Coordinates of all heavy atoms in Angstrom, one line a residue:
M10 N 170.3 146.2 127.3 CA 171.4 145.8 126.5 C 172.6 145.4 127.4 O 172.6 145.9 128.6 CB 171.9 146.8 125.4 CG 171.4 146.4 124.0 SD 172.1 144.7 123.7 CE 170.8 143.9 122.9
W11 N 173.6 144.7 126.9 CA 174.7 144.4 127.7 C 175.7 145.6 127.8 O 175.9 146.3 126.9 CB 175.4 143.2 127.0 CG 174.6 142.0 127.0 CD1 173.7 141.6 126.1 CD2 174.6 140.9 128.0 NE1 173.2 140.4 126.4 CE2 173.7 139.9 127.6 CE3 175.3 140.7 129.2 CZ2 173.4 138.8 128.3 CZ3 175.1 139.5 129.9 CH2 174.1 138.6 129.5
T12 N 176.3 145.7 129.0 CA 177.4 146.7 129.1 C 178.7 146.0 129.5 O 178.6 144.9 130.2 CB 177.0 147.8 130.2 OG1 176.7 147.1 131.4 CG2 175.9 148.6 129.7
E13 N 179.8 146.5 129.1 CA 181.1 145.9 129.6 C 181.7 146.8 130.6 O 182.1 147.9 130.3 CB 182.0 145.7 128.3 CG 183.2 144.9 128.7 CD 184.1 144.5 127.4 OE1 183.5 144.5 126.3 OE2 185.2 144.2 127.7
T14 N 181.8 146.2 131.8 CA 182.6 147.0 132.9 C 183.3 146.0 133.8 O 182.8 144.8 133.9 CB 181.6 147.7 133.9 OG1 180.4 147.0 134.0 CG2 181.3 149.1 133.3
D15 N 184.4 146.3 134.3 CA 185.2 145.5 135.2 C 185.5 144.1 134.5 O 185.4 143.0 135.1 CB 184.6 145.2 136.5 CG 184.5 146.5 137.3 OD1 185.4 147.3 137.2 OD2 183.6 146.6 138.2
N16 N 185.8 144.1 133.2 CA 186.1 142.9 132.5 C 185.0 141.8 132.5 O 185.2 140.6 132.6 CB 187.4 142.2 133.0 CG 188.6 143.0 132.6 OD1 188.7 143.5 131.5 ND2 189.6 143.1 133.5
K17 N 183.7 142.4 132.5 CA 182.6 141.5 132.5 C 181.5 142.1 131.6 O 181.3 143.3 131.5 CB 182.0 141.3 133.9 CG 182.8 140.4 134.7 CD 182.2 140.3 136.2 CE 183.0 139.4 137.0 NZ 184.5 139.7 137.1
L18 N 180.8 141.2 130.9 CA 179.5 141.7 130.2 C 178.4 141.6 131.2 O 178.3 140.6 131.9 CB 179.2 140.8 129.0 CG 180.2 140.9 127.8 CD1 179.6 140.0 126.7 CD2 180.3 142.3 127.3
Y19 N 177.6 142.6 131.4 CA 176.5 142.7 132.3 C 175.2 143.0 131.8 O 175.1 143.9 130.9 CB 176.9 143.7 133.5 CG 175.7 144.0 134.4 CD1 175.4 143.1 135.4 CD2 175.0 145.1 134.2 CE1 174.4 143.3 136.3 CE2 173.9 145.4 135.1 CZ 173.6 144.5 136.1 OH 172.5 144.7 136.9
R20 N 174.2 142.3 132.2 CA 172.8 142.8 131.8 C 171.9 142.4 132.8 O 172.0 141.3 133.5 CB 172.4 142.1 130.5 CG 171.0 142.6 130.0 CD 170.7 142.3 128.6 NE 169.4 142.6 128.3 CZ 168.7 142.3 127.2 NH1 169.3 141.7 126.2 NH2 167.4 142.7 127.0
K21 N 170.9 143.2 133.1 CA 169.8 142.9 134.1 C 168.5 142.7 133.3 O 168.2 143.4 132.3 CB 169.6 144.2 135.0 CG 168.7 143.9 136.1 CD 168.7 145.1 137.1 CE 167.8 144.9 138.3 NZ 168.0 146.0 139.2
F22 N 167.8 141.6 133.7 CA 166.6 141.2 133.1 C 165.4 141.3 134.1 O 165.6 140.9 135.3 CB 166.7 139.8 132.6 CG 167.8 139.5 131.6 CD1 169.1 139.3 132.1 CD2 167.6 139.6 130.3 CE1 170.1 139.1 131.2 CE2 168.6 139.4 129.3 CZ 169.9 139.1 129.8
E23 N 164.3 141.8 133.6 CA 163.1 141.8 134.5 C 161.9 141.1 133.9 O 161.6 141.3 132.7 CB 162.8 143.3 134.8 CG 162.0 143.4 136.1 CD 161.9 144.9 136.6 OE1 162.9 145.6 136.4 OE2 160.9 145.3 137.0
F24 N 161.2 140.3 134.7 CA 160.1 139.5 134.2 C 158.9 139.8 135.0 O 158.9 140.5 136.0 CB 160.5 138.0 134.3 CG 161.7 137.7 133.4 CD1 163.0 137.7 134.0 CD2 161.6 137.3 132.1 CE1 164.1 137.5 133.2 CE2 162.7 137.0 131.3 CZ 164.0 137.1 131.9
A25 N 157.8 139.2 134.5 CA 156.5 139.4 135.2 C 156.4 138.9 136.6 O 155.8 139.4 137.5 CB 155.3 138.9 134.4
N26 N 157.1 137.8 136.8 CA 157.1 137.1 138.1 C 158.2 136.1 138.2 O 159.0 136.0 137.3 CB 155.7 136.3 138.3 CG 155.4 135.5 137.0 OD1 156.3 134.8 136.6 ND2 154.3 135.6 136.5
F27 N 158.3 135.4 139.3 CA 159.4 134.4 139.5 C 159.4 133.3 138.5 O 160.4 132.8 138.1 CB 159.3 133.8 141.0 CG 160.3 132.8 141.2 CD1 161.7 133.1 141.4 CD2 160.0 131.4 141.3 CE1 162.6 132.2 141.7 CE2 160.9 130.5 141.6 CZ 162.3 130.8 141.8
S28 N 158.2 132.8 138.2 CA 158.1 131.6 137.3 C 158.7 132.0 135.9 O 159.4 131.2 135.4 CB 156.6 131.2 137.1 OG 156.2 130.6 138.2
E29 N 158.4 133.2 135.4 CA 159.0 133.6 134.2 C 160.5 133.8 134.3 O 161.2 133.4 133.4 CB 158.4 135.0 133.7 CG 156.9 134.9 133.5 CD 156.6 134.1 132.2 OE1 157.3 134.3 131.2 OE2 155.6 133.4 132.2
A30 N 161.0 134.4 135.4 CA 162.4 134.5 135.6 C 163.1 133.2 135.6 O 164.2 133.0 135.0 CB 162.7 135.3 136.9
F31 N 162.5 132.2 136.4 CA 163.2 130.9 136.5 C 163.2 130.2 135.2 O 164.1 129.4 134.9 CB 162.6 130.2 137.7 CG 163.6 129.2 138.2 CD1 164.6 129.5 139.1 CD2 163.5 127.8 137.8 CE1 165.5 128.5 139.5 CE2 164.4 126.8 138.2 CZ 165.4 127.2 139.1
A32 N 162.1 130.3 134.5 CA 162.0 129.6 133.2 C 163.1 130.1 132.3 O 163.8 129.3 131.6 CB 160.6 129.8 132.6
F33 N 163.3 131.4 132.3 CA 164.4 132.0 131.5 C 165.7 131.4 131.9 O 166.6 131.1 131.1 CB 164.4 133.5 131.7 CG 165.6 134.3 131.2 CD1 165.8 134.4 129.8 CD2 166.5 134.8 132.1 CE1 167.0 135.1 129.4 CE2 167.6 135.5 131.6 CZ 167.9 135.6 130.3
M34 N 166.0 131.4 133.2 CA 167.2 130.9 133.8 C 167.5 129.4 133.3 O 168.6 129.0 133.1 CB 167.2 130.9 135.3 CG 167.3 132.4 135.8 SD 167.2 132.5 137.6 CE 168.8 132.0 138.1
T35 N 166.4 128.6 133.3 CA 166.5 127.3 132.8 C 167.0 127.2 131.4 O 167.8 126.4 131.0 CB 165.1 126.5 132.9 OG1 164.7 126.7 134.3 CG2 165.2 125.1 132.6
R36 N 166.4 128.1 130.5 CA 166.8 128.1 129.1 C 168.3 128.6 129.0 O 169.0 128.0 128.2 CB 165.9 129.1 128.3 CG 164.5 128.6 128.3 CD 163.7 129.3 127.1 NE 163.5 130.7 127.3 CZ 162.6 131.3 128.1 NH1 161.7 130.6 128.7 NH2 162.5 132.6 128.2
V37 N 168.7 129.5 129.8 CA 170.1 130.0 129.8 C 171.0 128.8 130.3 O 172.1 128.6 129.7 CB 170.3 131.2 130.7 CG1 171.8 131.6 130.9 CG2 169.5 132.4 130.2
A38 N 170.6 128.1 131.3 CA 171.4 127.1 131.8 C 171.7 126.0 130.8 O 172.8 125.5 130.7 CB 170.7 126.4 133.1
I39 N 170.6 125.7 130.0 CA 170.8 124.6 129.0 C 171.8 125.1 127.9 O 172.6 124.4 127.4 CB 169.4 124.3 128.4 CG1 168.6 123.5 129.4 CG2 169.6 123.5 127.1 CD1 167.1 123.4 129.1
E40 N 171.7 126.4 127.5 CA 172.5 127.0 126.5 C 173.9 127.0 127.0 O 174.9 126.7 126.3 CB 172.0 128.3 126.2 CG 172.4 128.9 124.8 CD 172.1 128.0 123.7 OE1 170.9 127.5 123.6 OE2 173.0 127.7 122.9
A41 N 174.1 127.4 128.3 CA 175.5 127.5 128.9 C 176.1 126.2 128.9 O 177.3 126.1 128.7 CB 175.3 128.2 130.3
E42 N 175.4 125.2 129.3 CA 175.9 123.8 129.4 C 176.4 123.3 128.1 O 177.4 122.7 127.9 CB 174.9 122.9 130.1 CG 175.4 121.5 130.5 CD 176.5 121.5 131.5 OE1 177.0 122.6 132.0 OE2 177.0 120.4 131.8
K43 N 175.6 123.6 127.0 CA 175.9 123.2 125.7 C 177.2 123.8 125.2 O 178.0 123.2 124.6 CB 174.8 123.7 124.7 CG 173.7 122.8 124.4 CD 172.9 123.2 123.2 CE 171.4 123.4 123.5 NZ 170.7 124.2 122.5
M44 N 177.4 125.1 125.7 CA 178.7 125.8 125.3 C 179.8 125.6 126.2 O 180.9 126.1 126.0 CB 178.3 127.3 125.3 CG 177.4 127.8 124.1 SD 177.1 129.6 124.3 CE 178.7 130.2 123.9
D45 N 179.6 124.9 127.4 CA 180.5 124.7 128.4 C 181.1 126.1 128.8 O 182.3 126.4 129.0 CB 181.7 123.8 128.0 CG 182.5 123.4 129.2 OD1 182.0 123.5 130.3 OD2 183.7 123.1 129.0
H46 N 180.1 127.0 129.0 CA 180.5 128.4 129.3 C 179.3 128.9 130.3 O 178.2 129.0 129.8 CB 180.5 129.3 128.1 CG 181.3 130.5 128.3 ND1 182.7 130.5 128.7 CD2 181.0 131.8 128.3 CE1 183.1 131.7 128.9 NE2 182.1 132.5 128.7
H47 N 179.7 129.2 131.5 CA 178.7 129.3 132.6 C 178.6 130.7 133.2 O 179.7 131.3 133.4 CB 178.9 128.3 133.6 CG 178.9 126.9 133.1 ND1 180.0 126.3 132.6 CD2 177.9 126.0 132.9 CE1 179.8 125.1 132.2 NE2 178.5 124.9 132.4
P48 N 177.4 131.2 133.4 CA 177.3 132.6 133.9 C 177.5 132.7 135.4 O 177.2 131.8 136.2 CB 175.9 133.0 133.5 CG 175.1 131.7 133.5 CD 176.1 130.7 133.1
L49 N 177.9 133.9 135.8 CA 177.8 134.3 137.2 C 176.4 135.1 137.2 O 176.2 135.9 136.3 CB 178.9 135.3 137.6 CG 178.8 136.0 138.9 CD1 178.7 135.1 140.1 CD2 179.9 137.0 139.0
W50 N 175.5 134.7 138.1 CA 174.2 135.3 138.0 C 173.6 135.4 139.4 O 173.9 134.6 140.3 CB 173.3 134.7 137.0 CG 173.1 133.2 137.1 CD1 173.5 132.3 138.0 CD2 172.4 132.4 136.1 NE1 173.1 131.1 137.7 CE2 172.4 131.1 136.6 CE3 171.7 132.7 134.9 CZ2 171.8 130.0 135.9 CZ3 171.2 131.6 134.2 CH2 171.2 130.3 134.7
T51 N 172.6 136.3 139.5 CA 171.7 136.3 140.7 C 170.3 136.4 140.2 O 170.0 136.8 139.2 CB 172.0 137.6 141.6 OG1 171.7 138.7 140.8 CG2 173.4 137.6 142.0
N52 N 169.4 135.9 141.1 CA 168.0 136.0 140.9 C 167.3 136.4 142.2 O 167.6 135.8 143.2 CB 167.4 134.6 140.4 CG 165.9 134.5 140.6 OD1 165.4 133.6 141.3 ND2 165.2 135.4 140.0
V53 N 166.5 137.4 142.1 CA 165.6 137.8 143.2 C 164.3 138.0 142.7 O 164.0 138.9 141.8 CB 166.1 139.1 144.0 CG1 165.1 139.4 145.1 CG2 167.5 139.0 144.5
W54 N 163.3 137.1 143.0 CA 161.9 137.1 142.5 C 161.9 137.3 141.0 O 162.1 136.3 140.3 CB 161.0 138.2 143.2 CG 159.6 138.1 142.8 CD1 158.9 136.9 142.7 CD2 158.8 139.2 142.3 NE1 157.6 137.3 142.2 CE2 157.5 138.6 141.9 CE3 158.9 140.6 142.1 CZ2 156.5 139.3 141.4 CZ3 157.9 141.3 141.7 CH2 156.7 140.7 141.3
N55 N 161.6 138.4 140.5 CA 161.4 138.6 139.0 C 162.6 139.1 138.3 O 162.5 139.5 137.1 CB 160.2 139.5 138.7 CG 160.4 140.9 139.1 OD1 161.1 141.2 140.0 ND2 159.7 141.8 138.4
K56 N 163.7 139.3 139.0 CA 164.9 139.9 138.4 C 166.0 138.9 138.3 O 166.3 138.1 139.2 CB 165.3 141.1 139.2 CG 164.3 142.3 139.2 CD 164.9 143.4 140.0 CE 163.9 144.6 140.0 NZ 162.6 144.3 140.7
V57 N 166.7 139.0 137.2 CA 167.9 138.1 136.9 C 169.0 139.1 136.5 O 168.8 139.9 135.5 CB 167.6 137.0 135.9 CG1 168.9 136.2 135.6 CG2 166.5 136.1 136.3
E58 N 170.1 139.0 137.2 CA 171.3 139.8 136.7 C 172.4 138.7 136.3 O 172.6 137.7 137.0 CB 171.9 140.6 137.8 CG 171.0 141.8 138.1 CD 171.5 142.7 139.3 OE1 171.1 142.3 140.4 OE2 172.2 143.6 139.0
I59 N 173.0 139.0 135.2 CA 174.0 138.1 134.6 C 175.4 138.9 134.4 O 175.3 139.9 133.8 CB 173.5 137.4 133.3 CG1 172.2 136.6 133.6 CG2 174.6 136.5 132.8 CD1 171.7 135.9 132.4
W60 N 176.5 138.2 134.8 CA 177.8 138.7 134.4 C 178.5 137.7 133.7 O 178.6 136.5 134.1 CB 178.6 139.0 135.7 CG 178.0 140.2 136.6 CD1 178.5 141.5 136.5 CD2 177.0 140.1 137.5 NE1 177.8 142.2 137.5 CE2 176.9 141.4 138.1 CE3 176.2 139.1 138.0 CZ2 175.9 141.7 139.1 CZ3 175.2 139.3 139.1 CH2 175.2 140.7 139.5
L61 N 179.1 138.0 132.5 CA 179.8 137.0 131.7 C 181.3 137.4 131.6 O 181.6 138.5 131.2 CB 179.2 136.9 130.3 CG 177.7 136.5 130.3 CD1 177.3 136.6 128.8 CD2 177.5 135.1 130.8
S62 N 182.1 136.4 132.0 CA 183.6 136.6 131.7 C 184.1 135.2 131.5 O 183.4 134.1 131.8 CB 184.3 137.3 132.8 OG 184.3 136.5 134.0
T63 N 185.3 135.1 131.0 CA 186.0 133.8 130.8 C 187.1 133.6 131.8 O 188.1 134.2 131.8 CB 186.6 133.7 129.3 OG1 185.5 134.0 128.4 CG2 187.1 132.4 129.1
H64 N 186.8 132.7 132.8 CA 187.7 132.4 133.9 C 189.0 131.8 133.4 O 190.1 132.2 133.8 CB 187.1 131.4 134.9 CG 185.6 131.6 135.1 ND1 185.1 132.9 135.6 CD2 184.6 130.8 135.0 CE1 183.8 132.7 135.7 NE2 183.4 131.5 135.3
D65 N 188.8 130.9 132.4 CA 190.0 130.2 131.8 C 191.0 131.2 131.2 O 192.2 130.9 131.0 CB 189.6 129.1 130.8 CG 188.7 128.1 131.4 OD1 188.7 128.0 132.7 OD2 188.2 127.3 130.7
A66 N 190.5 132.4 130.8 CA 191.4 133.4 130.1 C 191.8 134.5 131.1 O 192.3 135.5 130.7 CB 190.6 134.0 128.9
G67 N 191.6 134.2 132.4 CA 192.0 135.2 133.4 C 190.9 136.2 133.7 O 191.2 137.3 134.1
D68 N 189.6 135.7 133.6 CA 188.5 136.6 134.0 C 188.4 137.8 133.1 O 188.3 138.9 133.7 CB 188.5 136.9 135.5 CG 187.7 136.0 136.3 OD1 186.7 135.5 135.8 OD2 188.1 135.7 137.4
I69 N 188.5 137.6 131.8 CA 188.3 138.8 130.9 C 187.1 138.4 130.0 O 186.7 137.3 129.9 CB 189.6 139.1 130.1 CG1 190.0 137.9 129.3 CG2 190.7 139.6 131.0 CD1 191.1 138.1 128.2
V70 N 186.7 139.4 129.2 CA 185.6 139.2 128.3 C 186.3 138.7 127.0 O 187.2 139.3 126.4 CB 184.8 140.5 128.0 CG1 183.8 140.3 126.8 CG2 184.1 141.0 129.2
T71 N 185.8 137.5 126.5 CA 186.3 136.9 125.2 C 185.1 136.7 124.3 O 183.9 137.0 124.7 CB 187.0 135.6 125.5 OG1 186.0 134.6 125.9 CG2 188.1 135.7 126.6
E72 N 185.4 136.2 123.1 CA 184.4 135.9 122.1 C 183.3 134.9 122.7 O 182.2 135.0 122.3 CB 185.0 135.2 120.9 CG 185.7 136.3 119.9 CD 184.7 137.4 119.5 OE1 183.6 137.1 119.1 OE2 185.1 138.6 119.7
K73 N 183.8 134.0 123.6 CA 182.8 133.1 124.2 C 181.7 133.8 124.9 O 180.5 133.4 124.9 CB 183.5 132.1 125.2 CG 184.2 131.0 124.5 CD 184.7 130.0 125.6 CE 184.6 128.6 125.1 NZ 184.8 127.6 126.2
D74 N 182.1 134.9 125.7 CA 181.1 135.7 126.4 C 180.1 136.4 125.5 O 178.9 136.5 125.7 CB 181.8 136.6 127.3 CG 182.8 135.9 128.3 OD1 182.2 135.1 129.1 OD2 184.0 136.1 128.2
K75 N 180.7 137.0 124.4 CA 179.9 137.7 123.4 C 178.9 136.7 122.8 O 177.8 137.1 122.6 CB 180.8 138.4 122.4 CG 181.6 139.5 123.1 CD 182.6 140.1 122.1 CE 183.4 141.2 122.8 NZ 184.5 141.7 122.1
K76 N 179.4 135.5 122.5 CA 178.5 134.5 121.8 C 177.4 134.1 122.8 O 176.2 134.0 122.4 CB 179.3 133.3 121.4 CG 178.5 132.3 120.6 CD 179.5 131.2 120.1 CE 179.6 131.3 118.5 NZ 180.5 130.3 117.9
L77 N 177.7 133.9 124.0 CA 176.7 133.5 125.0 C 175.7 134.6 125.2 O 174.5 134.4 125.3 CB 177.3 133.0 126.3 CG 176.3 132.6 127.4 CD1 175.4 131.4 126.9 CD2 177.0 132.1 128.7
A78 N 176.2 135.8 125.3 CA 175.3 137.0 125.4 C 174.3 137.1 124.2 O 173.1 137.3 124.5 CB 176.1 138.3 125.5
E79 N 174.8 136.8 123.0 CA 173.9 136.9 121.8 C 172.9 135.8 121.9 O 171.7 136.0 121.6 CB 174.7 136.6 120.6 CG 175.4 137.9 120.0 CD 176.3 137.6 118.9 OE1 176.2 136.5 118.2 OE2 177.2 138.4 118.6
R80 N 173.3 134.6 122.4 CA 172.4 133.5 122.5 C 171.3 133.7 123.6 O 170.2 133.4 123.4 CB 173.1 132.2 122.7 CG 173.9 131.8 121.5 CD 174.5 130.4 121.6 NE 175.3 130.1 120.4 CZ 175.9 128.9 120.2 NH1 175.8 127.9 121.1 NH2 176.6 128.8 119.1
I81 N 171.8 134.4 124.6 CA 170.8 134.7 125.7 C 169.8 135.7 125.2 O 168.6 135.6 125.5 CB 171.5 135.3 127.0 CG1 172.3 134.1 127.6 CG2 170.6 135.9 128.0 CD1 173.3 134.6 128.8
N82 N 170.2 136.7 124.4 CA 169.3 137.7 123.9 C 168.2 137.0 123.1 O 167.0 137.4 123.1 CB 170.0 138.6 122.9 CG 170.9 139.6 123.7 OD1 170.7 139.8 124.9 ND2 171.8 140.2 123.0
K83 N 168.6 135.9 122.4 CA 167.6 135.2 121.5 C 166.6 134.3 122.3 O 165.6 133.9 121.8 CB 168.3 134.3 120.5 CG 169.0 135.2 119.4 CD 169.7 134.3 118.4 CE 170.4 135.2 117.4 NZ 171.5 134.5 116.7
L84 N 166.9 134.1 123.6 CA 166.0 133.3 124.5 C 164.9 134.2 125.1 O 163.9 133.6 125.7 CB 166.8 132.7 125.6 CG 167.9 131.7 125.3 CD1 168.7 131.3 126.5 CD2 167.4 130.5 124.5
L85 N 164.9 135.5 124.9 CA 163.9 136.3 125.5 C 162.6 136.2 124.8 O 162.6 136.1 123.6 CB 164.5 137.8 125.5 CG 165.6 138.0 126.5 CD1 166.2 139.4 126.2 CD2 165.1 138.0 128.0
Ligands
H2B25 C1 186.8 122.8 132.7 C2 185.6 123.6 132.1 O1 185.4 123.4 130.8 C3 186.0 125.1 132.3 O2 186.2 125.4 133.7 C4 184.9 126.0 131.7 C5 183.5 125.8 132.4 N1 182.7 127.0 132.3 C6 183.3 128.2 132.1 N2 182.5 129.3 132.2 C7 183.0 130.6 132.1 N3 182.2 131.6 132.2 N4 184.3 130.7 131.9 C8 185.2 129.7 131.8 O3 186.4 129.9 131.6 C9 184.6 128.4 131.9 N5 185.4 127.3 131.8

């Protein structure tokens, strides 16, 4: 689940392999672009870490971040 720390929503995802992780990232990227709301993220092989905050609001967690987090949950 997502946790809120340092004014960011954070969640770590683990997949079977790199292909699964990258396929997930592709789905997230499409959703993020639709919302014009983009994640800070890292990927190492089968792991994806995502931090969500709203830069335009001064790098704090807003409804936009919560909405994107919910949409990401549904992509799993
Ligand atoms: C100009 C553009 O719409 C803005 O910079 C958007 C783009 N993506 C964004 N993504 C995130 N996470 N926060 C923002 O404030 C933000 N702003």
Side-chain angles (χ1 to χ4, degrees):
M10 257 302 138
W11 295 88
T12 54
E13 187 171 340
T14 36
D15 291 334
N16 289 319
K17 284 175 179 56
L18 292 182
Y19 169 80
R20 184 171 172 183
K21 186 174 187 174
F22 303 85
E23 201 167 320
F24 298 89
N26 51 46
F27 176 74
S28 291
E29 294 290 320
F31 202 82
F33 168 72
M34 291 175 78
T35 304
R36 296 197 296 276
V37 171
I39 290 166
E40 204 55 49
E42 188 64 359
K43 270 195 236 163
M44 290 178 67
D45 191 24
H46 201 62
H47 303 87
L49 168 64
W50 54 7
T51 62
N52 160 240
V53 179
W54 185 47
N55 67 332
K56 294 183 180 67
V57 178
E58 288 179 271
I59 300 182
W60 294 264
L61 299 176
S62 69
T63 304
H64 321 305
D65 298 347
D68 266 325
I69 57 165
V70 174
T71 68
E72 281 307 309
K73 279 190 145 189
D74 302 297
K75 291 175 186 170
K76 187 171 246 178
L77 181 55
E79 275 172 23
R80 291 190 182 182
I81 290 172
N82 288 343
K83 289 183 182 154
L84 297 175
L85 289 168

